[in-house]
Amino acid sequence: MLLTNTGSLQSSCQKLSLCSKLCFAIGGAPKEVASSATAFFLQIYLLDVAQASMVLFIGKAWGAVTDPIVGFFITKSRWTKIGRLMPWMLGCTPFLVVSYFYLWFVPPFSSGRFVWYLGFYCLYQTLITCFHVPYSALTMFLSTDQKERDSATAYRMTMEVLGTLVGAAIQGQIVASAHTLKHCPTHNTSAGYLGNSSGAEIKEVYMIAAGVIGGVFLICTVVMFLGVKERDDPYAPKTEKQIPFHQAFILVMRHGPYLTLTAAFLFITVAIQLIQSNFVLFCTYAADLSEHFQNIVLTILVSAVISIPLWQWFLQRFGKKTAAFCGITWIMPFTMMLVFIPNVVVAYVVAVSSGLSVAASLLLPWSMLPDVVDDFRLANPFSKGHEAIFYSFYVFFTKFAAGISLGVSNLCLEFAGYDTGACKQPAPVVYTLKLLIGAAPVAFIVTGLMILLLYPISEDVRLRNKLCLEELRCVEIINAHLREKL
């Protein structure tokens, strides 16, 4: 009876208010605002404006390396009055805004621009890691209730896709007006070439967009801090026996569900990244859609925002693994359709359909990762405070793979004969862009889904883990009461 009452009380205490879920979700939006702007526009900016094309590859690789390092330091962080994760997010935000702004600033010198952009991009990647790893790990410390965490994750993904939409809208609508060519034919306009001899206009609009996005970052971080309460680990046993970091790392890397989930979404993330980073170039040079690309991007993101509640309902009704297969498979025929039938009507149909898969690819891994952490906690009850290992290395693997894919796609374009600032690209570049948008992502998605078949945490296993963790927590509460009486 005491066990039942204690469990009910604990469950009710872990319910999250709508305000808390919204504030938590708002905290993740600015990262996606900035990521959207860099994903869609930084490649063409570095190719045509800054002439520093290899910055993305090196910077992404550096950002991947910083993830496990940041994860290590987070596990060593002590609990403060505002939590263990919150100080990381608050402390890095001002420096993150400054580094992001100078990433879009064209310095007055030309010989050292590669070093300039590489330095600020690496700094930006480091600081965004210091924000994102603790933010994603914060999911585990909002509530012990799986449904509440899933609900908070759905709010977060909705807001993050909305942030991606806002980022693309801000960057696209502000910057697109300056990306015009006075000397090119109307139907062969380059979206990346400077429209005047000095380039002053395009430099100015990029800085304006960066300033607006930086302001969004500051405001949203403050809202999250005021509306979210970070809880201490409720499942950790109150004993002095703890697993050291290096042992916990080995245990995590040997945990089958984690390796399977990470490997599967590694390939899927690479596919989405290839489509995202090359989409503007594809619309400009391979599909003659340069006048529509910003609206097509917005259509994809609006579709993704609207469909996230649908996927949240679907995963609750049919399970997360089934939702992942249905959602992510959906994008494959439509990307191929755009490659073979590159006209405006098909582009918008593909945009709406692709938004469904983008939403699933964003929601599902972050919804499934807490289940993996729960499964690990049951197998290793003395591993306290090591949740950041799961999140930091998940980000590390996916970011590193995405960085390699970006670097390879850049090299492929350069080897194909990409002509910076040209109104029309040679045929090998057009063919390469079609491969990067169509065949390559499909191959990566198929590989990822085949790996996901091996993912062992079904809905039955997830329910069993939930019940076992609730019993474990109740026993800890009872033991704490007994110790107090003694």
Side-chain angles (χ1 to χ4, degrees):
M1 185 67 179
L2 175 61
L3 186 67
T4 303
N5 291 339
T6 306
S8 300
L9 176 62
Q10 179 66 17
S11 178
S12 64
C13 290
Q14 296 297 321
K15 294 295 182 182
L16 296 174
S17 66
L18 176 62
C19 179
S20 294
K21 293 177 184 178
L22 284 174
C23 290
F24 170 68
I26 288 171
K31 184 258 180 186
E32 296 306 320
V33 172
S35 296
S36 173
T38 55
F40 283 112
F41 293 94
L42 188 57
Q43 175 149 304
I44 199 168
Y45 172 82
L46 293 174
L47 280 171
D48 284 353
V49 179
Q51 287 89 46
S53 60
M54 286 304 295
V55 167
L56 277 177
F57 169 68
I58 300 173
K60 283 283 187 181
W62 171 260
V65 171
T66 61
D67 286 298
I69 297 173
V70 171
F72 170 77
F73 284 110
I74 289 175
T75 62
K76 297 297 182 182
S77 300
R78 295 184 177 181
W79 184 267
T80 67
K81 292 182 179 180
I82 60 173
R84 187 163 58 94
L85 303 174
M86 196 68 73
W88 282 84
M89 293 177 276
L90 292 178
C92 73
T93 297
F95 303 101
L96 176 58
V97 170
V98 173
S99 66
Y100 180 80
F101 178 81
Y102 280 107
L103 182 60
W104 300 95
F105 177 79
V106 180
F109 48 85
S110 58
S111 59
R113 284 186 181 179
F114 177 82
V115 176
W116 171 279
Y117 287 107
L118 180 61
F120 277 107
Y121 191 55
C122 288
L123 179 61
Y124 166 74
Q125 288 291 336
T126 302
L127 292 170
I128 203 69
T129 298
C130 292
F131 183 93
H132 185 237
V133 170
Y135 174 76
S136 56
L138 184 61
T139 307
M140 298 301 302
F141 302 99
L142 296 175
S143 173
T144 59
D145 191 317
Q146 289 183 356
K147 287 186 177 180
E148 291 298 303
R149 289 199 311 246
D150 288 345
S151 177
T153 300
Y155 276 88
R156 170 193 164 189
M157 289 301 111
T158 302
M159 197 61 67
E160 287 191 357
V161 176
L162 188 60
T164 305
L165 173 62
V166 171
I170 292 174
Q171 195 83 4
Q173 299 305 320
I174 292 177
V175 171
S177 62
H179 279 295
T180 55
L181 277 174
K182 306 295 189 296
H183 65 278
C184 284
T186 303
H187 295 293
N188 289 320
T189 301
S190 167
Y193 186 69
L194 299 179
N196 52 47
S197 58
S198 66
E201 181 184 0
I202 197 167
K203 295 176 186 178
E204 181 180 343
V205 295
Y206 270 113
M207 287 188 289
I208 291 172
V212 172
I213 291 174
V216 171
F217 220 117
L218 289 172
I219 293 171
C220 291
T221 302
V222 171
V223 170
M224 178 191 64
F225 170 68
L226 296 176
V228 175
K229 180 182 178 182
E230 180 184 344
R231 303 175 187 270
D232 198 3
D233 188 352
Y235 293 127
K238 309 302 180 183
T239 92
E240 296 299 322
K241 182 180 179 182
Q242 297 294 330
I243 297 178
F245 176 85
H246 69 279
Q247 292 183 13
F249 169 76
I250 294 173
L251 289 173
V252 170
M253 292 300 112
R254 290 178 176 176
H255 194 61
Y258 178 67
L259 294 179
T260 303
L261 183 71
T262 302
F265 279 98
L266 182 150
F267 285 98
I268 293 167
T269 301
V270 167
I272 300 297
Q273 183 72 58
L274 280 174
I275 296 171
Q276 191 176 37
S277 61
N278 292 288
F279 188 76
V280 175
L281 291 170
F282 175 82
C283 288
T284 303
Y285 297 119
D288 198 20
L289 297 170
S290 60
E291 297 179 356
H292 301 274
F293 76 83
Q294 61 264 42
N295 294 325
I296 296 172
V297 169
L298 294 181
T299 302
I300 294 172
L301 298 176
V302 169
S303 173
V305 171
I306 295 173
S307 60
I308 281 183
L310 168 66
W311 289 120
Q312 179 65 15
W313 169 84
F314 192 95
L315 68 86
Q316 290 178 342
R317 179 68 176 82
F318 300 102
K320 298 180 181 180
K321 192 172 178 179
T322 302
F325 274 94
C326 294
I328 296 167
T329 304
W330 185 257
I331 197 173
M332 293 192 291
F334 291 99
T335 56
M336 297 304 297
M337 183 187 301
L338 183 61
V339 169
F340 289 105
I341 315 175
N343 62 57
V344 175
V345 175
V346 171
Y348 280 101
V349 172
V350 171
V352 174
S353 303
S354 298
L356 294 170
S357 288
V358 170
S361 69
L362 290 172
L363 175 63
L364 269 303
W366 296 111
S367 181
M368 297 165 80
L369 198 53
D371 300 333
V372 173
V373 178
D374 283 344
D375 189 77
F376 177 82
R377 279 172 162 173
L378 280 176
N380 304 276
F382 293 102
S383 181
K384 178 182 179 181
H386 296 124
E387 291 77 15
I389 298 175
F390 286 89
Y391 290 89
S392 62
F393 276 90
Y394 175 79
V395 176
F396 164 75
F397 289 125
T398 54
K399 190 184 291 184
F400 189 75
I404 292 176
S405 70
L406 282 173
V408 171
S409 66
N410 262 344
L411 289 174
C412 289
L413 289 173
E414 290 187 7
F415 285 136
Y418 183 86
D419 186 5
T420 299
C423 299
K424 186 177 181 180
Q425 296 294 335
V429 172
V430 175
Y431 180 73
T432 301
L433 286 170
K434 290 181 178 181
L435 288 177
L436 293 174
I437 286 290
V442 168
F444 280 115
I445 288 173
V446 170
T447 304
L449 292 177
M450 290 178 66
I451 296 173
L452 194 61
L453 285 171
L454 304 175
Y455 180 67
I457 301 180
S458 62
E459 290 305 299
D460 291 338
V461 173
R462 194 165 73 93
L463 179 59
R464 183 201 65 193
N465 289 347
K466 175 184 176 182
L467 295 175
C468 291
L469 286 171
E470 287 177 352
E471 290 178 3
L472 178 63
R473 178 56 181 155
C474 289
V475 169
E476 286 298 323
I477 293 174
I478 292 171
N479 290 337
H481 284 307
L482 292 176
R483 284 193 296 268
E484 289 176 2
K485 290 181 179 180
L486 295 176

